[in-house]
Amino acid sequence: MDISSPHTHGRVALRLVRTRDARTLQRELLGNRTWLRPWEATSPDGPVSFDMRAGVRRLLQQYRDGNGVPFVMEYDGELAGQLNVWGIARGSMSSATIGYWVSERFAGRGVTPTCVAMATDVCFRELNLHRMEICIRPENQASLRVVEKLGFRYEGLRRRYIHIDGDWRDHYAFALVREEVPEGVLARWVSGRAPQHAATVPPSDRLRA
């Protein structure tokens, strides 16, 4: 698996993380604690050490092993956040999950939907995956707008699915399969052809979450 070239659209770029990004990533994470803490994965076993350099090394090893793709998101050449493709399954499933965070000062500039679209296109076209999933906390309105813009399809409520901000949290699951976007996710969104209501959560699931 080799995805060495950055992907760009306008002022936004998506590229593989580098070991030398660790210091900048750590600074952004520490400087955005209030903004990011409600959405960050935590460990049910208690606090873990915050060593971004070791974390980047682990992500790159997962990439070499074919289990994930660790990207950084950039805006005008400045590091704006991370996007990780994780849990890559081959064979009969051929799927993966996308997770991401963006620094507060870059929110609202289209960085996240653009990078999610580009990452999904990479996974469909270059990695030949069949299905991409994004799971979002019901309270995370900003992330829900991302899947709404891109036309990800709502698939259901996952109860107490991921340990976030100190407890097991419910998540909404959204997905796309390759056949749904033959022209690509980015091209479909930019051209205004993304289905407007695909990500709509039924009232019954909103009440249960």
Side-chain angles (χ1 to χ4, degrees):
M1 185 166 61
D2 182 15
I3 308 172
S4 53
S5 299
H7 296 262
T8 61
H9 178 76
R11 303 168 76 176
V12 177
L14 182 76
R15 63 165 175 82
L16 281 176
V17 71
R18 305 167 184 142
T19 304
R20 63 177 177 270
D21 292 322
R23 180 175 296 179
T24 304
L25 286 169
Q26 184 155 324
R27 183 175 67 243
E28 291 297 322
L29 286 168
L30 291 174
N32 283 267
R33 299 308 304 141
T34 302
W35 168 256
L36 296 174
R37 186 177 289 114
W39 322 117
E40 281 187 343
T42 47
S43 171
D45 299 321
V48 296
S49 63
F50 188 80
D51 183 345
M52 200 64 214
R53 187 173 295 276
V56 169
R57 285 198 298 265
R58 284 194 298 270
L59 289 171
L60 289 171
Q61 185 59 55
Q62 291 171 10
Y63 171 64
R64 288 188 290 269
D65 293 340
N67 298 321
V69 186
F71 290 110
V72 293
M73 304 186 288
E74 294 181 331
Y75 186 82
D76 282 346
E78 190 173 356
L79 197 149
Q82 274 185 285
L83 184 153
N84 289 320
V85 175
W86 57 276
I88 291 178
R90 294 291 183 178
S92 57
M93 287 193 66
S94 190
S95 66
T97 298
I98 288 176
Y100 50 79
W101 62 264
V102 66
S103 295
E104 185 174 13
R105 70 181 183 278
F106 294 104
R109 302 190 189 188
V111 174
T112 305
T114 302
C115 287
V116 169
M118 290 193 291
T120 305
D121 287 341
V122 167
C123 289
F124 285 159
R125 294 173 173 175
E126 300 184 36
L127 301 185
N128 201 33
L129 296 178
H130 179 250
R131 180 180 180 278
M132 297 301 296
E133 179 176 277
I134 298 177
C135 293
I136 300 170
R137 283 189 62 183
E139 302 87 351
N140 194 340
Q141 293 299 317
S143 278
L144 290 174
R145 286 194 293 273
V146 171
V147 291
E148 289 166 2
K149 289 177 182 178
L150 299 180
F152 272 71
R153 174 176 30 78
Y154 179 69
E155 289 200 330
L157 174 65
R158 295 187 176 177
R159 303 308 301 266
R160 298 179 63 80
Y161 179 55
I162 302 175
H163 202 271
I164 300 283
D165 192 27
D167 201 359
W168 295 102
R169 310 290 182 176
D170 293 350
H171 282 68
Y172 294 144
F174 304 86
L176 281 176
V177 295
R178 194 167 56 213
E179 293 89 345
E180 292 176 275
V181 282
E183 73 272 49
V185 181
L186 182 63
R188 187 178 73 164
W189 175 45
V190 170
S191 67
R193 296 196 300 274
Q196 296 182 5
H197 304 295
T200 299
V201 178
S204 58
D205 281 1
R206 288 201 300 268
L207 289 171
R208 292 169 60 207

